Structures are given as C-alpha cells and as structure tokens.
Amino acid sequence: MVQKAKILLVDDRPENLLALEAILSALDQTLVRASSGEEALKALLTDDFAVILLDVQMPGMDGFETAAHIKRRERTRDIPIIFLTAINHGPHHTFRGYAAGAVDYISKPFDPWVLRAKVSVFVDLYMKNCQLREQAALLRLQLEQGLPVGAGINGGKGKESVGIIAELSARLAAVEEQAEALAKQLNESGDGAAVATAAHLERKLTGLRRALDALEPGTGGGVIRQQNSD
C-alpha cells in the first residue's frame, strides 16, 4: 500500500485553511494544518512533507521569516514552498518571496484548478523520490549481503537483482520526465530562484542516474560499488 504524501498548510485564518483543504482534498493526500510559523516549524521537526503552502502575512513570524527558518534546516531545506498572499505586491515583494526560497508565488484569490495542478506536480515528484529511495535501499541491502549484481546465479537471485535495477531505472526515468516538464515550466516563468530549484533537482537526478548506470550488468560497477559503498 502506497503511503500518502503530507502537504503542510500554513495560515493564521481558519477559513483560509478550510478553503485550502476543500481545494486540495481531491488529491487524496494527507493535509496538515498549521496556524502560525512557529506551529509549522514544529510540525516539520517530526514529519516529512511533499510541499508547503505558506501564507505570507501572519502575525508574529510571517511567511518570509518562516521560510528562512525552513531553508536553514538541513532536514527541510529542499521542501518546495508555495507562497500565498493577499497583498497587492510589486516586483520587489515577489523577489523577496523567491529569495526566501519559494518555488512559486500565488496571489489570493487564486484559481483552485491552478493551485491544485501546481501542488500535484510536487506531490508526484515526492512520491516518485520515495519509491526510488525504497528501491535503492533494497538494492543496497542485497549488495551488502554479497549477492552478485547481474549474475544469473545463486538460485536466480542474480536475475532478481537485475529486475530491481530495471525497476529502479524505470522509476528514475519517470522522475526525470516529471523534472524535465517542471524545469520547462519554471524556465518559462523567468523566475531566477525557481529556475535554480529546478536545476538543483536535475543535478541530483543526474547523480542518481550515474550511480544506477554503474550497477548495470556488464559495466563491472556492481562489484566496485559493493566494495566501496561505505
């Protein structure tokens, strides 16, 4: 059973949180409420989130300050943040949002369909990354147990390893396709911080692809990586 992704909704107004839940309920994921920046940071200490919807204008710790704290933490710095604001802002205000680490900036009232589509992209990327990590952990366990990669021996276990590599490669290809589409969308937006976020994701995916290619049968990478995995 696939575990649902968690989406963090941060707004000091209960009616706004209720509206966000109504819009995003169709995604069938776990929606977590936070009524302040402090409450959001507390939730991020224990749970992993696919994306954060963060209101800019809140009493006490506002959205910009909350985002700055999120980006300073190693555990949470890569979580996408979508800023939501009711303020009539100019270019400087928007730039401040991207400088704080936001991947998108949406003004209220927003189009429910657009917001749902944007959130679904990050949820899909998150779920695919989780699947990749699980498959990679399984493959690493087999390597640590001394099972040969790509060799059809040990009662068919080598073939099982090949199957795992093929599954990993297919899942990675799906993530790469989603990342490419997201990068194209962000490049067209012309937002520097958002483009940098997409580039960071692409670099991480490139590293995963190289590591996976080294495990392909016939490359000799399986034995080398097994000996030097630590």
Side-chain angles (χ1 to χ4, degrees):
M1 183 176 181
V2 178
Q3 186 175 1
K4 293 182 179 181
K6 292 183 178 180
I7 302 170
L8 183 59
L9 313 176
V10 189
D11 199 302
D12 63 298
R13 301 177 66 89
E15 62 270 24
N16 289 343
L17 290 172
L18 188 62
L20 288 174
E21 288 175 339
I23 292 170
L24 299 176
S25 61
L27 298 180
D28 194 26
Q29 304 300 325
T30 301
L31 306 177
V32 178
R33 284 189 176 199
S35 58
S36 66
E38 292 86 354
E39 190 175 334
L41 294 176
K42 184 177 180 181
L44 288 162
L45 287 174
T46 55
D47 291 324
D48 294 324
F49 291 90
V51 62
I52 302 169
L53 274 63
L54 180 58
D55 184 39
V56 171
Q57 195 174 24
M58 296 186 294
M61 184 183 297
D62 66 12
F64 296 129
E65 188 178 354
T66 303
H69 282 288
I70 292 171
K71 293 302 176 181
R72 280 199 293 265
R73 293 178 179 176
E74 184 176 356
R75 174 187 172 94
T76 59
R77 65 180 52 165
D78 293 328
I79 301 177
I81 298 174
I82 298 176
F83 272 135
L84 304 176
T85 178
I87 304 172
N88 292 324
H89 55 78
H92 175 73
H93 198 273
T94 304
F95 176 77
R96 186 182 175 192
Y98 288 123
V103 297
D104 212 336
Y105 205 111
I106 302 178
S107 297
K108 304 174 185 177
F110 42 76
D111 186 329
W113 292 96
V114 171
L115 179 63
R116 191 183 300 120
K118 289 177 180 291
V119 171
S120 68
V121 170
F122 292 109
V123 168
D124 196 35
L125 283 172
Y126 173 83
M127 297 296 285
K128 284 180 168 60
N129 277 318
C130 287
Q131 292 169 355
L132 274 173
R133 286 196 296 269
E134 291 172 0
Q135 294 289 336
L138 178 59
L139 180 58
R140 178 181 174 84
L141 178 62
Q142 290 204 348
L143 291 173
E144 289 176 345
Q145 290 175 345
L147 297 177
V149 177
I153 57 175
N154 292 338
K157 292 181 179 178
K159 292 181 179 179
E160 182 179 349
S161 295
V162 173
I164 293 173
I165 294 173
E167 175 68 13
L168 273 170
S169 183
R171 291 187 183 277
L172 181 56
V175 175
E176 288 170 333
E177 182 179 351
Q178 290 282 346
E180 183 179 353
L182 178 61
K184 182 179 179 181
Q185 177 184 348
L186 294 177
N187 281 325
E188 290 174 351
S189 72
D191 295 315
V195 171
T197 299
H200 174 71
L201 176 60
E202 288 181 330
R203 287 194 297 271
K204 292 177 68 175
L205 290 175
T206 298
L208 280 172
R209 173 59 66 186
R210 288 174 179 170
L212 188 58
D213 288 345
L215 292 172
E216 288 289 345
T219 64
V223 175
I224 295 174
R225 190 162 296 277
Q226 180 179 339
Q227 294 173 344
N228 297 296
S229 59
D230 295 325

